[in-house]
Amino acid sequence: MNKLVKMTALASVLSAAVMLSSCGGSSSNVITIGGVAPLSGQYTEYGLECKKGIDLAVKEINAAGGINGKTVKFVCEDDEGDPAKSVNAYKKLTTQDKVRMVIGSLTSGATISITQQAQANGVVQIAPAATALAVTDAGNYIFRACFTDPFQGRIGGKFSAVNLGAKTAAVLYDIGNDYSVGLMENFVSEFTAQGGSVVSIESYSTNDKDFNAQLTKIKSMNPEVVYLPDYYATVSLIAKQLRAQGIDVPIVGADGWDGLVGLLAGESGDEVVNGYYSNHYASDSTNPAVQKFVQSFKAEYNVAPNAFAALGYDSMCMLKDAIVAAGSSDAAAVRDALEKTNGDYVTGHITFDEKHNPVKSAVMIKLVKDGGSLSSAYETTVDIN
């Protein structure tokens, strides 16, 4: 009887050990990488597209033999773009799935909510699309694949003054949104530095739906361009009211506009025609790396990839390259290898500065009507020297 009990106990221990060895990042044959993204809620377009890009990269990596002979597993948690839920998602990934590398989240507030914990825990975090300057302030385990708000705000200002030739500009921004505020401040700074004059700066609060009072003031100043630094759903509302008031000048924005074409599918989209926005890549670029990615993405999902898909893809590819260079999936070793990144990716040639922000250029995308349907087209590349 005692022998039977001992054998049963031993079997239980061995079973538990096998179960533990197959969980998350602890498997010797699997590298598990976590993801935090808004797969539902207000920013679903961002999260779903980013995840598609990451999933495609994982599929390609595994088809080529994995990383250092190990299979890559991507586990993604939905945070709905809510910082509190981002924290919960991060805790689940690091405690239950045992991940030591996380891609996400997408918006700046959600991303910043987990950077301090990632730094304290020694978890490598790559933010695909969180552009607020403070994202990488937490420390040396935090990276991003996208450029920053100050950078793209300046890009918008330079493009408006130099490429569009505007001498006067108006700005309408969300006073309660750090993303919008940061873009506004840097647009104003660069547009002024380029010799332009900002004749009107108007604000609104998050979740406002009526912008007519602010637009009336803007119209009275007769600007040659209007800068709208916000996310695509809000921009769509503003643009409809702006055009209804007879303001027919070019409108300019940032990467938060990516998603307008999808949002306005089936509608005329006329209100955003003659609109331009800074972005991380252009799907109609002739760059061979871009075209290869676009073709693979279309073959997988039957749709063209937006910038969030490209940034997700690049985030996973940079992690893969760093793990290969480190010869290990140890977080500290991967961090050290990531710092030395110097390569060509879908969103450009990437190196990192001392704050782990990528050094690269930005593209300007134009919204046009193509055969009666709204579409986006590459306009130009802009650098800030």
Side-chain angles (χ1 to χ4, degrees):
M1 184 67 176
N2 288 339
K3 185 176 181 180
L4 179 60
V5 170
K6 288 179 180 178
M7 291 178 65
T8 302
L10 178 59
S12 297
V13 170
L14 290 173
S15 177
V18 170
M19 290 177 64
L20 179 62
S21 69
S22 65
C23 290
S26 62
S27 171
S28 60
N29 296 316
V30 176
I31 298 174
T32 304
I33 296 172
V36 180
L39 305 180
S40 62
Q42 185 178 1
Y43 308 118
T44 301
E45 177 81 7
Y46 301 157
L48 292 179
E49 292 305 302
C50 182
K51 185 177 182 297
K52 287 178 183 176
I54 295 171
D55 287 341
L56 177 62
V58 170
K59 181 177 181 179
E60 292 178 350
I61 291 167
N62 287 334
I67 302 178
N68 299 334
K70 297 183 179 182
T71 300
V72 177
K73 178 182 178 182
F74 180 60
V75 181
C76 192
E77 296 295 322
D78 181 12
D79 68 354
E80 301 178 33
D82 181 336
K85 293 180 180 178
S86 304
V87 172
N88 292 335
Y90 169 84
K91 289 180 178 177
K92 186 266 181 184
L93 289 167
T94 53
T95 59
Q96 295 184 35
D97 299 299
K98 309 298 183 185
V99 305
R100 305 300 297 166
M101 291 166 277
V102 173
I103 299 175
S105 183
L106 274 292
T107 58
S108 294
T111 301
I112 291 171
S113 72
I114 59 178
T115 55
Q116 293 289 346
Q117 292 183 62
Q119 180 66 29
N121 298 151
V123 172
V124 173
Q125 180 184 359
I126 298 184
T131 52
L133 195 60
V135 164
T136 57
D137 284 351
N140 63 352
Y141 276 89
I142 316 302
F143 297 78
R144 79 172 102 216
C146 58
F147 45 62
T148 65
D149 287 342
F151 177 79
Q152 67 168 334
R154 292 180 63 197
I155 288 290
K158 182 176 180 180
F159 173 79
S160 297
V162 175
N163 297 80
L164 295 182
K167 300 299 182 184
T168 59
V171 183
L172 179 57
Y173 74 103
D174 183 346
I175 197 170
N177 183 332
D178 290 343
Y179 169 78
S180 190
V181 172
L183 289 169
M184 176 275 293
E185 292 173 343
N186 286 277
F187 173 89
V188 170
S189 174
E190 185 65 26
F191 188 77
T192 303
Q194 295 290 341
S197 175
V198 180
V199 296
S200 180
I201 301 177
E202 299 294 329
S203 66
Y204 53 89
S205 298
T206 305
N207 297 322
D208 279 358
K209 305 297 182 186
D210 187 346
F211 310 95
N212 281 292
Q214 298 95 321
L215 291 170
T216 297
K217 294 179 183 179
I218 287 173
K219 183 178 181 180
S220 70
M221 300 305 296
N222 197 32
E224 296 177 66
V225 66
V226 177
Y227 190 60
L228 303 176
D230 209 329
Y231 300 121
Y232 63 93
T234 302
V235 169
S236 174
L237 291 175
I238 294 173
K240 289 175 182 176
Q241 295 175 34
L242 180 146
R243 298 306 191 203
Q245 287 220 22
I247 304 173
D248 59 1
V249 300
I251 53 177
V252 177
D255 63 336
W257 284 32
D258 204 27
L260 270 170
V261 173
L263 178 70
L264 297 175
E267 300 182 30
S268 68
D270 290 343
E271 65 272 17
V272 295
V273 172
N274 202 22
Y276 305 83
Y277 62 96
S278 53
N279 213 354
H280 307 269
Y281 103 120
S283 63
D284 57 345
S285 166
T286 57
N287 182 293
V290 172
Q291 288 308 301
K292 179 179 181 296
F293 165 68
V294 171
Q295 290 168 9
S296 298
F297 193 94
K298 284 183 175 179
E300 187 72 16
Y301 302 111
N302 198 34
V303 66
N306 66 16
F308 294 94
L311 288 166
Y313 184 89
D314 278 359
S315 296
M316 181 59 77
C317 289
M318 284 192 290
L319 268 183
K320 182 263 293 182
D321 290 344
I323 295 169
V324 170
S328 167
S329 57
D330 173 74
V334 173
R335 175 204 62 197
D336 292 344
L338 267 175
E339 290 179 337
K340 300 173 184 176
T341 296
N342 187 350
D344 293 315
Y345 296 90
V346 173
T347 60
H349 186 87
I350 297 176
T351 60
F352 287 108
D353 66 16
E354 67 281 357
K355 291 295 293 290
H356 294 175
N357 297 315
V359 179
K360 57 182 180 179
S361 58
V363 299
M364 292 300 298
I365 304 295
K366 184 177 183 178
L367 291 163
V368 298
K369 293 295 285 289
D370 182 13
S373 300
L374 184 68
S375 64
S376 59
Y378 170 76
E379 178 72 10
T380 189
T381 298
V382 182
D383 287 295
I384 296 292
N385 299 319

